[in-house]
């Protein structure tokens, strides 16, 4: 019996943050857009028009204000609530087109397209692309190949070369060879900046140059991971589709403040908020943590403020994902490192020693009622999912994080907040 060849599709949203803004304001189509980081500090997303103007990723906005004013660049504060919900809508649409999906990032997903062949595969991908745009207003590009690494390359070409209509299928030796010649080595998935520089120094400029190198040379230069990348580029699958992402080994939530904090009460509110978010992320991946670490620091770029940075951690007798436990212990750690007389610019919470909930080993001297805690946290999450994040929270979380976040150009949360629903007048 003939076995059907496995084919992977990588779907990537084009200029995702900018596209989310355009979906609710079509007058922005064709105009340069930049989206800023928390506190409106640096550029974290750009439309193609802004890239063409020379605005760099991560560039402080004050450095490009002349370009912004001269070319009427539209500037937005990052609206992660909106972007997260739009991502969910895109992924939900994609899941209808293949039984297996791996959500790789907020704007990327791999699909298993096995069972489709030749022109039907390309037609299926184009129909999927049209459906995503019809349902969400977000344009996507699709790369299809026998391996995930080649699908990444196909996606890149589909995005940059208009003649493919947003879908690039790499299913023949000729198509693969041409695509490898067109791909700089630094743009190959799995080859970072350090390796790409080293390879370029040795004459490996493109993905095609890389696959021509002997296996022994690649293994010696880049270890087994580099060899797997070469095999993937040759069409030999080495990276499987992960329909369930592995649980994170550590989780960090942190933020710089627009205005410095000098009192411990203000820091406690921030630390409590971050600890609560870590607890939620733990519950979402069905894990618990045994170590909670808190760090603080002043502004390292200030020439007038006294400098101070420190961190402390607390070990839990029993791993937990209970919000109240993590908030309490995080504030204990903060009290150990807080020093008066400093203007604190950033704090954060890191949880580690993460274990699956099914493998929690309780302490001999403490027997917490885990079933009661689980029920309480389930009720908390259900309320916050329905009425908005932090609708129900601990007393020490007072909303300071919103006051200290500098977002002057924030658009409404059109899809997640009743008060922000668009009005249609006719």
């Amino acid at each position: 019996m003939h076995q059907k060849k496995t084919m992977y599709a990588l779907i990537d949203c084009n200029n995702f943050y900018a596209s989310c803004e355009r979906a609710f304001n079509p007058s922005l189509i064709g105009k340069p857009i930049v989206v800023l980081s928390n506190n409106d500090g640096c550029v974290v997303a750009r439309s193609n028009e802004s890239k063409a103007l020379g605005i760099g990723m991560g560039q402080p906005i004050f450095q490009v204000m002349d370009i912004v004013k001269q070319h009427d660049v539209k500037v937005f504060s990052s609206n992660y609530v909106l972007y997260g919900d739009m991502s969910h809508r895109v992924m939900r649409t994609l899941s209808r087109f293949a039984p297996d999906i791996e959500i790789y990032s907020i704007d990327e997903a791999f699909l298993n397209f096995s069972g489709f062949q030749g022109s039907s595969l390309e037609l299926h991908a184009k129909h999927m692309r049209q459906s995503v745009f019809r349902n969400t207003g977000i344009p996507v590009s699709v790369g299809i190949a026998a391996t995930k690494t080649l699908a990444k390359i196909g996606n890149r070409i589909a995005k940059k070369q208009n003649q493919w209509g947003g879908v690039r299928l790499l299913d023949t030796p000729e198509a693969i060879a041409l695509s490898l010649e067109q791909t700089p080595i630094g743009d190959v998935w799995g080859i970072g900046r350090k390796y790409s520089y080293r390879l370029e120094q040795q004459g490996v400029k493109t993905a095609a140059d890389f696959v021509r190198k002997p296996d022994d040379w690649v293994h010696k230069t880049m270890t087994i991971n580099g060899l797997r990348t070469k095999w993937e580029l040759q069409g030999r699958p080495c990276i499987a589709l992960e329909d369930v992402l592995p649980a994170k080994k550590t989780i960090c939530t942190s933020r710089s403040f627009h205005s410095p904090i000098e009192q411990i009460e203000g820091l406690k509110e921030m630390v409590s908020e971050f600890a609560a978010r870590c607890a939620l992320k733990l519950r979402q991946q069905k894990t618990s943590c045994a170590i909670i670490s808190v760090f603080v620091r002043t502004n390292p770029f200030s020439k007038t403020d006294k400098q101070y940075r420190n961190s402390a951690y607390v070990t839990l007798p029993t791993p937990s994902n209970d919000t109240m436990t993590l908030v309490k212990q995080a504030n204990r750690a903060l009290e150990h490192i807080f020093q008066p007389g400093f203007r604190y610019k950033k704090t954060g919470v890191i949880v580690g020693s993460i274990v699956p909930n099914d493998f929690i080993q309780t302490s001999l001297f403490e027997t917490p009622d885990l079933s009661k805690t689980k029920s309480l946290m389930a009720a908390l999450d259900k309320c916050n999912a329905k009425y908005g994040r932090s609708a129900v929270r601990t007393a020490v979380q007072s909303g300071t994080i919103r006051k200290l976040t500098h977002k002057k150009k924030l658009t409404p949360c059109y899809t997640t907040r009743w008060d922000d629903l668009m009005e249609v007048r006719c």
Side-chain angles (χ1 to χ4, degrees), residues 112-408:
N112 187 337
F113 265 10
S114 300
F116 294 91
Q117 300 294 325
S119 60
S120 66
L121 181 60
E122 193 167 357
L123 288 173
H124 187 67
K126 289 184 176 181
H127 177 52
M128 175 182 65
R129 185 171 180 268
Q130 294 166 357
S131 296
V132 171
F133 187 78
R134 182 178 64 248
N135 292 351
T136 66
I138 304 296
V140 301
S141 297
V142 185
I144 309 170
T147 70
K148 292 169 74 173
T149 304
L150 279 175
K152 273 271 192 179
I153 287 178
N155 182 277
R156 176 183 175 275
I157 292 173
K159 186 176 292 188
K160 291 182 176 294
Q161 299 179 10
N162 294 331
Q163 69 263 33
W164 302 111
V167 176
R168 182 62 171 123
L169 174 61
L170 304 181
D171 62 342
T172 65
E174 295 77 17
I176 293 173
L178 177 61
S179 298
L180 296 182
E181 292 286 357
Q182 295 174 337
T183 305
I185 190 63
D187 289 338
V188 175
W189 187 42
I191 296 181
R193 184 178 303 175
K194 180 180 177 181
Y195 275 127
S196 64
Y197 175 79
R198 184 185 303 177
L199 291 169
E200 288 173 1
Q201 295 298 108
Q202 301 186 58
V204 179
K205 305 294 185 181
T206 67
D209 296 332
F210 182 65
V211 298
R212 294 189 191 107
K213 291 292 184 179
D215 285 0
D216 290 344
W217 184 92
V218 174
H219 186 274
K220 182 179 179 180
T221 306
M222 297 181 60
T223 73
I224 187 62
N225 291 326
L227 190 54
R228 287 178 182 143
T229 297
K230 178 191 172 182
W231 290 341
E232 283 255 325
L233 291 173
Q234 292 176 319
R236 297 165 58 184
C238 299
I239 307 173
L241 197 72
E242 296 181 358
D243 51 359
V244 178
L245 295 179
K248 295 180 179 179
K249 296 180 179 179
T250 60
I251 295 174
C252 176
T253 304
S254 66
R255 181 171 295 177
S256 297
F257 322 134
H258 175 60
S259 302
I261 297 177
E262 298 184 53
Q263 304 300 320
I264 192 172
E265 290 76 16
L267 282 177
K268 280 189 173 182
E269 293 174 7
M270 300 295 289
V271 165
S272 299
E273 179 72 22
F274 296 153
R277 293 188 183 183
C278 286
L280 175 60
K281 292 176 183 178
L282 286 168
R283 294 194 294 272
Q284 288 173 338
Q285 65 176 28
K286 296 180 173 58
T287 58
S288 297
C289 73
I291 294 178
I292 306 169
S293 176
V294 175
F295 68 86
V296 294
R297 80 175 190 201
T298 54
N299 185 356
F301 303 105
S302 174
K303 297 181 179 179
T304 57
D305 291 347
K306 295 185 296 181
Q307 296 299 313
Y308 174 72
R309 61 187 303 164
N310 206 346
S311 63
Y313 71 90
V314 174
T315 302
L316 303 179
T318 301
S320 176
N321 59 24
D322 173 61
T323 294
M324 291 176 288
T325 298
L326 268 61
V327 167
K328 179 180 178 181
Q329 298 304 329
N331 280 308
R332 273 187 59 200
L334 175 64
E335 290 169 356
H336 282 292
I337 58 176
F338 175 80
Q339 294 291 332
F342 293 96
R343 290 162 53 83
Y344 293 95
K345 185 65 174 176
K346 185 174 184 178
T347 188
V349 175
I350 304 171
V351 295
S353 293
I354 296 175
V355 297
N357 289 338
D358 295 338
F359 294 93
I360 293 178
Q361 184 173 355
T362 58
S363 168
L364 289 173
F365 307 102
E366 183 182 11
T367 55
D369 189 343
L370 298 180
S371 61
K372 183 183 295 185
T373 298
K374 182 178 179 180
S375 298
L376 178 60
M377 290 300 103
L380 174 71
D381 294 341
K382 186 175 182 180
C383 288
N384 287 335
K386 183 174 183 179
Y387 298 108
R389 187 169 67 182
S390 296
V392 181
R393 56 183 185 262
T394 61
V396 73
Q397 297 170 251
S398 68
T400 297
I401 192 168
R402 295 175 179 81
K403 300 174 187 175
L404 295 175
T405 300
H406 181 69
K407 291 191 174 186
K408 288 187 175 181

Side-chain angles (χ1 to χ4, degrees), residues 6-20:
T6 299
M7 297 294 283
Y8 296 104
L10 174 66
I11 298 87
D12 185 13
C13 301
N14 300 343
N15 304 311
F16 181 57
Y17 292 176
S19 294
C20 287

